[in-house]
Amino acid sequence: MTVTTVLKVARRLASGPYGYGQDDRWGALADNGKLGTAGLAAVGDADCGTAVGIAWYLGGLIPRSLLKGSWYTGNIAAKTKSSGMFYLVKVSDWPLTKIDATARKGAGLIGPGHIMMNVARGKWLSFEYTEKGTSTGGKAGDQTGREGRIRELYSRSKGWAYLIQPYTGAELLAQAIAAYRTGSDPAPYLERFARRAPWDGARWAWMMSHWQRWDKGMTLVYDATKLPVPKSGHCYVVLGATIPKMTRRLAVALPGLQANPNSRVLVTGGVVRSGKTEAAYMLDWLLARGIGRNRIILEEQSTSTVGNAELSIPLLVRGGISSYTLVSDASHLRRASTLFLAARVQRETPSNRRLPLKSTAVLAYDDYTPKPIKTALPVTAETRDAIAGNVLTLLN
């Protein structure tokens, strides 16, 4: 259920056998106002507030509990804002053209005594009068074809007060990440995101559950020969850095490549080091040690770990890779793993299809010894903040 569903319900209310009336103002709901069954009645009435509320409810933007009890133009703005699914924009001094241009699809426009819903640029759902030109006393259902309709935005003597704008899925996801960044529970924001975009919300909740688990401590592997990998479709991903860091990361990955001749290796990094990109340096290092060129995938454009993740995921997919092992310093792998997983999910959500790709355990060079390996311990607030900032950069 999404804004698309909200708009379908709104158009159905405007074109179907649903009239204006406050005698049974929830009558357009299939359950006659009990709010237990999601659907439209065969015939029935709604007033302006309930028509908009029905569309939001059946489209999944607001929970059933929000409609219970008092629901009228005097409190709709406050109730919808409290749901966390909408924000308010004051428009009392705006021209109609600016209101029309600013309103998102599914947005409510409210003023004293009336509310409409935006269904398209210049088109608004509006329930106004019974066939008698009154608010009560009419017959059930639409008697004139105009009791509920799609109309253009118009000026009112009482004016308009607020746009009730629905948050986008991207905004709700950013709120979840921002909450987690400060140490707060992201679950309420993820629940709203799932209501706004069910497939995306569930997938990002899955991603963030891994992220939260890794922040409690990651299990690292230091010996590639002790890490079982799939016999086909597997790739080691070595992340670029300074030449000394790349050299030691490559040295960690090499035994795995030698022990698993069907595995490939992706070297990622576009920063120039001593006249070569990071990826080119790693390519030459691997070739000099007997790794065939046909096993090596190059990514030479990225200049950060965010870029490593963003640009490597499509290369892995195009290369027919079904599993990958990240290779980096122990101090780097918590951040890198989170970003690669975020990059995977980011590429999945436009099509609502999971990528045929998964990660194996991470392979690390121990850059902590003799000090404790911090990546295996709970994350610090400073590190969590940095990782969250990187994830938000990736999403933008």
Side-chain angles (χ1 to χ4, degrees):
M1 293 182 287
T2 64
V3 166
T4 300
T5 308
V6 171
L7 301 182
K8 287 180 179 179
V9 175
R11 292 185 180 279
R12 176 61 178 159
L13 284 168
S15 62
Y18 309 107
Y20 183 96
Q22 294 186 355
D23 305 277
D24 182 15
R25 66 193 191 108
W26 292 107
L29 270 181
D31 53 9
N32 198 29
K34 295 178 183 177
L35 306 182
T37 304
L40 290 171
V43 66
D45 285 344
D47 64 4
C48 63
T50 51
V52 172
I54 287 168
W56 283 338
Y57 165 51
L58 296 183
L61 279 187
I62 58 176
R64 184 175 82 173
S65 59
L66 207 66
L67 297 178
K68 285 188 173 181
S70 176
W71 175 268
Y72 70 109
T73 53
N75 67 7
I76 288 175
K79 291 188 79 168
T80 50
K81 182 181 179 181
S82 72
S83 74
M85 298 296 292
F86 298 83
Y87 63 97
L88 303 182
V89 180
K90 188 177 180 180
V91 297
S92 54
D93 58 348
W94 285 18
L96 296 182
T97 52
K98 184 175 180 180
I99 294 174
D100 227 3
T102 304
R104 293 176 172 177
K105 290 181 180 179
L109 176 61
I110 197 164
H114 194 51
I115 184 171
M116 299 197 298
M117 174 190 286
N118 183 256
V119 296
R121 183 61 58 85
K123 302 296 181 183
W124 297 79
L125 171 70
S126 182
F127 272 64
E128 298 174 4
Y129 301 105
T130 71
E131 75 277 11
K132 297 180 178 181
T134 60
S135 59
T136 60
K139 294 181 180 180
D142 190 0
Q143 306 301 314
T144 67
R146 293 174 62 81
E147 293 182 42
R149 55 180 172 143
I150 304 294
R151 63 172 298 170
E152 294 182 355
L153 184 58
Y154 66 98
S155 297
R156 303 174 69 235
S157 59
K158 296 180 181 180
W160 298 108
Y162 294 101
L163 270 175
I164 306 173
Q165 294 275 52
Y167 282 115
T168 65
E171 287 169 339
L172 291 168
L173 175 58
Q175 289 175 13
I177 295 170
Y180 184 59
R181 184 177 192 172
T182 63
S184 300
D185 184 2
Y189 303 94
L190 291 170
E191 289 171 5
R192 294 168 195 157
F193 182 27
R195 188 181 301 134
R196 178 67 173 77
W199 198 93
D200 295 6
R203 198 66 179 142
W204 280 103
W206 171 82
M207 180 270 162
M208 289 198 71
S209 69
H210 282 71
W211 179 3
Q212 289 172 287
R213 188 171 71 245
W214 291 332
D215 276 359
K216 294 177 182 177
M218 288 191 77
T219 300
L220 305 177
V221 177
Y222 303 97
D223 184 347
T225 63
K226 295 181 179 179
L227 174 62
V229 299
K231 293 182 179 180
S232 63
H234 177 260
C235 186
Y236 294 93
V237 179
V238 186
L239 305 183
T242 63
I243 288 177
K245 287 185 177 181
M246 285 189 291
T247 301
R248 68 199 195 192
R249 294 171 187 180
L250 290 164
V252 167
L254 183 61
L257 288 164
Q258 293 170 333
N260 300 282
N262 291 330
S263 287
R264 300 180 71 186
V265 55
L266 186 154
V267 288
T268 172
V271 176
V272 176
R273 312 278 187 183
S274 298
K276 297 180 181 179
T277 64
E278 294 162 330
Y281 170 83
M282 291 190 279
L283 168 68
D284 290 345
W285 193 96
L286 290 165
L287 291 174
R289 286 154 182 82
I291 303 301
R293 180 63 182 85
N294 63 323
R295 297 178 65 188
I296 305 170
I297 304 170
L298 260 69
E299 185 287 292
E300 291 188 276
Q301 302 300 316
S302 61
T303 57
S304 66
T305 309
V306 172
N308 292 160
E310 187 175 26
L311 297 177
S312 294
I313 292 297
L315 289 177
L316 292 172
V317 174
R318 287 200 294 269
I321 303 301
S322 55
S323 68
Y324 63 92
T325 299
L326 287 183
V327 185
S328 190
D329 290 1
S331 61
H332 186 219
L333 278 167
R334 178 148 44 196
R335 181 163 63 95
S337 296
T338 302
L339 288 169
F340 267 73
L341 192 58
R344 283 168 56 191
V345 176
Q346 184 187 36
R347 288 190 65 85
E348 292 173 339
T349 51
S351 63
N352 286 6
R353 295 181 61 184
R354 295 187 182 186
L355 293 177
L357 189 65
K358 63 180 182 180
S359 60
T360 64
V362 290
L363 189 58
Y365 170 83
D366 181 2
D367 58 335
Y368 283 112
T369 299
K371 297 179 180 180
I373 299 172
K374 292 181 181 179
T375 309
L377 302 173
V379 72
T380 64
E382 181 181 10
T383 299
R384 184 182 59 239
D385 174 77
I387 295 173
N390 279 183
V391 173
L392 289 171
T393 298
L394 174 69
L395 295 178
N396 292 330

